[in-house]
Amino acid sequence: MKLLIVYCGGSIPPRPDPFSVTFDDTFAERFIRHLVNEEGYCNGCGALCDHCRDTYGIDFTADIADVIQLPSVLPYYLDDPAELLGGELPPHEATVAINVHQEVLLALPELAHHAGSRVLIAPSEAPEWVTRWVRGEVRKACRRLDMGCAFPKPFCSLQPGIHPTVDEFMEHFRIGYPRLHLELGDGYIREARVLRSAPCGNTYYVAFNLKGAPLDASVAEVVAKYWHSFPCVASMQVDRELGETVLHMGGFMHYRAVQEALAEAGVTVELPSSPALARISA
């Protein structure tokens, strides 16, 4: 599956035009660095690094059709968003749009479809990235074009079952809602393997540091310590739709993934949760 990534990014001037909108590319850069398994991307273990990520075969460089970086500062209203994208996209099968101008996102389904895309995913790592109205319009366009689409908030909340092409995307790139396999010792986690990672790669760091963690509720402290220190870069602003910060949602995703993996291994442990988990919109 060939992937096209579109994002807005680059340096932002200290005093941008007051009639413009600015875009931060912190998450987009992390997503790309994870997908190509960039050397040194995960440096949490410092000199003790044993390159655990390399054992997973997660370098998808050959599967990236192109990366289109749009300006970090754009006018509120665009005369021609399609022209900003170059008018024609390179051939690809899956499109991921990260923190792009809303008018660009509205133009993407038609352009991506003509380039062969079968699925469009536009995550939100902050409340303002994709508005409810834009989600609705893009969904209608994707339905008309027989494309799958998803708007996970955050990206690591992306679950299978939305559309067959979304499932195919998740399976191919092994990203979305985290999944783990645990091997247990006598009262502790002996080994943790990632089956599916958060799209930024955070799950690999959490899994590596789960080794030796106790089989009780205090395992949450291990998850929190390493998920925070990777770190998660989602917004700490409370999202009105979720009633929770997007960053905390990333944490709850990892708590739940560990809890589910423990249950599959025969251990019942209640880890921190939130009512917002039930309000996640795909």
Side-chain angles (χ1 to χ4, degrees):
M1 176 177 266
K2 290 292 184 180
L3 172 66
L4 174 69
I5 303 168
V6 182
Y7 74 100
C8 289
S11 60
I12 300 174
R15 293 184 181 179
D17 186 305
F19 299 103
S20 65
V21 58
T22 61
F23 301 89
D24 178 76
D25 62 8
T26 302
F27 179 79
E29 292 289 344
R30 292 173 73 80
F31 175 62
I32 295 167
R33 294 175 70 192
H34 165 63
L35 278 187
V36 301
N37 196 25
E38 181 182 295
E39 185 177 357
Y41 170 51
C42 178
N43 57 13
C45 297
L48 299 177
C49 175
D50 69 353
H51 304 281
C52 66
R53 286 171 54 95
D54 295 341
T55 66
Y56 287 93
I58 52 172
D59 181 354
F60 296 101
T61 304
D63 296 315
I64 298 177
D66 201 0
V67 176
I68 298 177
Q69 179 181 339
L70 303 177
S72 61
V73 182
L74 289 168
Y76 274 111
Y77 301 104
L78 301 178
D79 293 332
D80 189 349
E83 183 180 3
L84 188 65
L85 286 163
E88 187 175 327
L89 300 177
H92 66 286
E93 297 164 283
T95 316
V96 172
I98 301 176
N99 197 15
V100 299
H101 196 290
Q102 301 288 277
E103 292 185 33
V104 169
L105 188 53
L106 288 168
L108 263 176
E110 195 77 41
L111 291 169
H113 174 71
H114 283 305
S117 182
R118 296 180 288 113
V119 59
L120 171 60
I121 298 173
S124 291
E125 300 300 307
E128 71 278 5
W129 278 20
V130 185
T131 67
R132 182 180 295 182
W133 182 82
V134 169
R135 285 201 307 262
E137 292 301 302
V138 173
R139 275 199 180 99
K140 284 190 283 187
C142 287
R143 256 195 312 268
R144 176 173 53 83
L145 297 165
D146 196 25
M147 289 177 64
C149 67
F151 306 90
K153 187 193 298 183
F155 205 165
C156 55
S157 70
L158 183 64
Q159 296 253 19
I162 300 167
H163 189 277
T165 55
V166 176
D167 293 355
E168 184 182 345
F169 168 84
M170 294 177 65
E171 184 175 350
H172 184 90
F173 294 101
R174 285 180 267 162
I175 56 176
Y177 169 63
R179 286 188 61 225
L180 300 166
H181 172 73
L182 303 179
E183 295 180 10
L184 307 184
D186 185 12
Y188 69 96
I189 296 173
R190 184 169 61 230
E191 185 72 33
R193 294 289 294 175
V194 178
L195 303 179
R196 183 170 62 225
S197 170
C200 66
N202 197 327
T203 312
Y204 291 99
Y205 187 53
V206 171
F208 178 79
N209 288 284
L210 281 173
K211 287 180 283 189
L215 301 180
D216 57 38
S218 65
V219 71
E221 299 173 14
V222 179
V223 176
K225 177 180 178 180
Y226 293 102
W227 161 75
H228 273 295
S229 60
F230 183 73
C232 175
V233 296
S235 171
M236 271 297 289
Q237 181 182 351
V238 174
D239 182 89
R240 290 185 179 183
E241 292 181 321
L242 297 175
E244 181 60 86
T245 72
V246 184
L247 181 140
H248 285 154
M249 294 305 295
F252 291 129
M253 294 295 111
H254 283 84
Y255 289 138
R256 190 167 68 176
V258 172
Q259 181 172 310
E260 290 173 349
L262 284 169
E264 289 176 3
V267 176
T268 301
V269 175
E270 288 295 324
L271 298 183
S273 186
S274 168
L277 288 174
R279 294 191 287 272
I280 289 174
S281 174

